[in-house]
Amino acid sequence: MLKITKFGGSSTANSEQFKKIKAIIESDEGRKFVCVSASGRRFKGDNKVTDLLCLVVAHRDYHVDYSALLDDIESRYLEIKNELGLTFPVEEKFDILRETIPTDSAAYIISRGEWLTAHLMAEYLGYEYLDAADAIIFHHDGTLNLEATNAAIREVVKKYDHFVMPGFYGGTTDGQIKLLDRGGGDITGSLMASALDADLYENWTDVSGFMSADPSIVENPQAIKKITFDEMQELSYMGASVLHEEAIFPVREKNIPIQIKNTNDPSAEGTIIREIWEPDPQDPLVTGIAGKKDFLSVYINKTKLANSVGFLRTVLSIFEKYGVSVEHIPTGIDSFSVVVNAHDVKDCIYSIVADIKRELEPDKIEINENLALISVVGRNMPQKIGTSGKLLGVVGNAKINVRMISQSSQERTIVIGVENKDFERCVQVIYEAFVNETSAE
C-alpha cells in the first residue's frame, strides 16, 4: 500500500519530533514519499519559523534590522542538525541568505523554512531531497498547473524510490517561487498523493483526528473515526479544521482517502476521510458539531413576497455590490433573512439597508445582531425521523432561544442560530443529547 505522508509544523518542531517521524516512516514500507512543513512551535508561546520569516520580510521592507530574527531561526535549525548528527551546511546556507535577502522575493524568503526542514529531514531519513519548486508547477498568472505538476512528480518517482519534499510552495516555469495559502503543505501532500495514485494520504499533526466538538467547549469530546468529505467540509467551514480545506480536492477526484494521525500518539486510530461510508449501525447519528459567533441577519418582510419576481435576486445583488458573502437565507411566505458575518458588514450594513429600502420598498426591515451559528452534521441524519424536532426540543428545554434554523436539501446538516451568549451552552446541550447519548447506547 502506497502512503503519502505529510507532517505539519508541530511534527517537525525539534529533534525529538524528527525522531518520532523516523520511527513512523520506518514502521511501514509503504511510506516512501514524505512532505514536511517548516518547523513549528516547540512549546506554548514559541514562534513558528514561517511566522519569523514573515517578520524578516516585513522588517526588510520597512528598513528595520532583522539580524536577530535570522539568528533565532538559524539557531533552531543548528540545534536540530547537531542533536541528530547531520551534515547539511546550515551555517553556510544562512550566510548566503543574509547576503541575498535584500533582493530576494518575499515568497522565496518565507519558503526557506520548509526548504531547510525538508533538507534536514531527507538526510535524517536517508531519502532523496526533491525541491517543491521543481515539482509543484504554477502558471505565469499564479494558478496551479496540475498537468505539469503531475508530470513532474511522476518523473521524479522514476529516479528516486524515496524522497522528501517541502510543502507550502512551488515554482513558476520561469523559476520564480510561488507560495500556496498558509497551511498549504496539506495541499502539497494531497497533490503528491493524486499524482502518484496513492492508496492513502496520511496527514500527521498534533491531534488524533477530528473531534466531534470543540475541546475548549466540550470536555474530552469523542474523536470522529469516520467522516465523509462533505461532512468534513461542513464542519471545517464552521471552524472545526485540522486540514486545509483545499487539500481535499486533488485526492477526492481520485477517490483516495485521507487519514488524520497524531505524530505524538501514532497508535491512535485517527480519522479516516473518504467520499462515501456505507451505513453502519454502530456509527453515530451526529458526526460532529461546530459553530462560530458574531453573525447578523437582515430580516426583510414584504406582503405577497412570493409573487414579487426578482425580489430576492435584487437583495442579493446589493450584498454582492458591497463584496459581502451571504451565509444563509432562511425564508418564510412573506419574509426572509439574509445571514452574514458581522465583520464583513461592519462598515457597510447601513448602506446595504438603505439600498434595499430605496430599491425594493419592503414593508419591514430589521437588523438582528449578536447571532451565533451552530452546524449539526451527520450523514445518518436523513435516515432518522424526527432529528430536527429532537434538536429543537433539547435546545428549547435548555431555555435557549433559537433565532433561526436552516437545513440542507440532503438533510445532512442542520444549522441553528442562537444568541452569542448562549453559544457554548448550546453546543454542550446538543453534544450531550446526540453524541454522548449515542455512545451510551
Side-chain angles (χ1 to χ4, degrees):
M1 174 183 282
L2 177 60
K3 299 179 179 180
I4 301 302
T5 54
K6 185 268 174 177
F7 293 90
S10 61
S11 302
T12 62
N14 55 36
S15 61
E16 290 304 311
Q17 295 300 94
F18 269 55
K19 292 175 184 177
K20 293 176 185 178
I21 289 176
K22 188 171 186 177
I24 290 167
I25 296 298
E26 292 180 344
S27 69
D28 190 328
E29 61 182 14
R31 294 173 176 140
K32 299 178 179 181
F33 308 115
V34 181
C35 174
V36 294
S37 295
S39 297
R41 295 187 182 95
R42 297 160 293 182
F43 46 81
K44 187 176 181 179
D46 194 21
N47 293 304
K48 299 178 180 179
V49 164
T50 300
D51 290 338
L52 294 175
L53 288 167
C54 288
L55 280 174
V56 168
V57 172
H59 279 49
R60 179 199 67 176
D61 292 347
Y62 286 95
H63 308 289
V64 177
D65 181 31
Y66 49 79
S67 58
L69 290 169
L70 276 179
D71 290 345
D72 186 14
I73 299 168
E74 181 180 12
S75 68
R76 290 182 62 166
Y77 284 107
L78 279 174
E79 184 176 273
I80 292 172
K81 171 189 173 178
N82 294 333
E83 290 183 358
L84 297 178
L86 305 177
T87 62
F88 182 74
V90 171
E91 301 95 329
E92 178 184 324
K93 300 301 181 183
F94 271 90
D95 287 342
I96 296 172
L97 187 59
R98 287 183 176 88
E99 292 178 6
T100 62
I101 276 179
T103 56
D104 284 333
S105 70
Y108 178 86
I109 297 167
I110 294 168
S111 70
R112 295 308 87 183
E114 273 76 11
W115 184 84
L116 287 158
T117 304
H119 270 292
L120 291 170
M121 185 63 70
E123 181 183 351
Y124 186 54
L125 296 177
Y127 284 14
E128 295 290 339
Y129 168 81
L130 171 62
D131 197 333
D134 299 323
I136 307 299
I137 311 301
F138 289 87
H139 293 290
H140 290 292
D141 63 1
T143 58
L144 194 63
N145 185 335
L146 285 174
E147 184 177 349
T149 294
N150 288 338
I153 294 173
R154 289 168 185 160
E155 191 63 30
V156 170
V157 173
K158 295 177 182 178
K159 303 176 184 177
Y160 305 141
D161 292 331
H162 305 77
F163 66 74
V164 176
M165 185 167 76
F168 184 43
Y169 73 93
T172 61
T173 52
D174 59 357
Q176 299 298 309
I177 294 296
K178 167 71 178 174
L179 299 179
L180 293 160
D181 295 338
R182 284 299 295 266
D186 292 344
I187 303 173
T188 306
S190 181
L191 290 169
M192 290 168 60
S194 176
L196 299 175
D197 294 315
D199 297 294
L200 181 67
Y201 171 33
E202 293 182 331
N203 194 284
W204 293 82
T205 180
D206 58 355
V207 294
S208 298
F210 278 87
M211 296 293 110
S212 52
D214 186 342
S216 68
I217 298 174
V218 174
E219 186 176 358
N220 297 320
Q222 292 184 35
I224 300 172
K225 295 181 180 179
K226 300 187 294 186
I227 189 171
T228 65
F229 286 119
D230 285 337
E231 290 174 305
M232 192 210 76
Q233 284 186 288
E234 292 281 356
L235 293 171
S236 295
Y237 185 74
M238 294 302 286
S241 181
V242 295
L243 180 74
H244 195 294
E245 189 176 349
E246 296 296 320
I248 73 169
F249 298 108
V251 292
R252 188 173 189 177
E253 290 181 351
K254 296 287 190 71
N255 199 27
I256 299 170
I258 303 174
Q259 186 168 25
I260 308 298
K261 295 280 284 180
N262 189 344
T263 305
N264 302 316
D265 186 11
S267 63
E269 188 172 348
T271 300
I272 291 279
I273 313 162
R274 64 189 332 147
E275 185 67 31
I276 297 172
W277 283 104
E278 294 301 323
D280 185 338
Q282 301 301 315
D283 289 344
L285 175 64
V286 169
T287 303
I289 305 159
K292 295 179 183 177
K293 292 183 178 180
D294 297 324
F295 292 87
L296 65 77
S297 69
V298 180
Y299 170 80
I300 301 165
N301 177 275
K302 187 174 179 66
T303 302
K304 297 184 179 180
L305 176 62
N307 298 324
S308 300
V309 177
F311 191 96
L312 177 57
R313 177 185 58 79
T314 303
V315 170
L316 295 180
S317 71
I318 292 171
F319 280 91
E320 181 182 3
K321 181 176 74 172
Y322 287 92
V324 177
S325 176
V326 172
E327 303 286 339
H328 294 279
I329 311 174
T331 61
I333 298 300
D334 288 330
S335 65
F336 63 90
S337 294
V338 179
V339 180
V340 298
N341 191 306
H343 181 268
D344 293 345
V345 295
K346 63 183 179 65
D347 297 323
C348 61
I349 185 60
Y350 295 108
S351 298
I352 289 172
V353 170
D355 285 1
I356 294 172
K357 287 180 177 179
R358 183 178 62 255
E359 294 189 31
L360 295 167
E361 299 180 346
D363 297 333
K364 186 177 183 179
I365 185 166
E366 293 179 349
I367 299 172
N368 298 306
E369 299 181 286
N370 301 314
L371 184 68
L373 298 184
I374 299 171
S375 287
V376 181
V377 179
R379 61 187 174 276
N380 295 321
M381 292 198 300
Q383 286 77 46
K384 182 73 171 180
I385 297 173
T387 301
S388 297
K390 180 180 177 181
L391 174 62
L392 293 176
V394 297
V395 173
N397 290 338
K399 309 299 182 185
I400 297 172
N401 182 34
V402 175
R403 294 174 54 183
M404 65 150 277
I405 181 168
S406 175
Q407 188 166 11
S408 67
S409 58
Q410 292 182 320
E411 301 180 1
R412 295 174 182 170
T413 303
I414 304 172
V415 179
I416 63 171
V418 300
E419 297 278 353
N420 275 343
K421 64 181 177 61
D422 293 325
F423 173 67
E424 288 82 4
R425 189 161 64 92
C426 190
V427 171
Q428 292 165 355
V429 165
I430 296 171
Y431 180 86
E432 289 299 322
F434 286 92
V435 181
N436 262 3
E437 182 181 83
T438 303
S439 65
E441 294 173 357

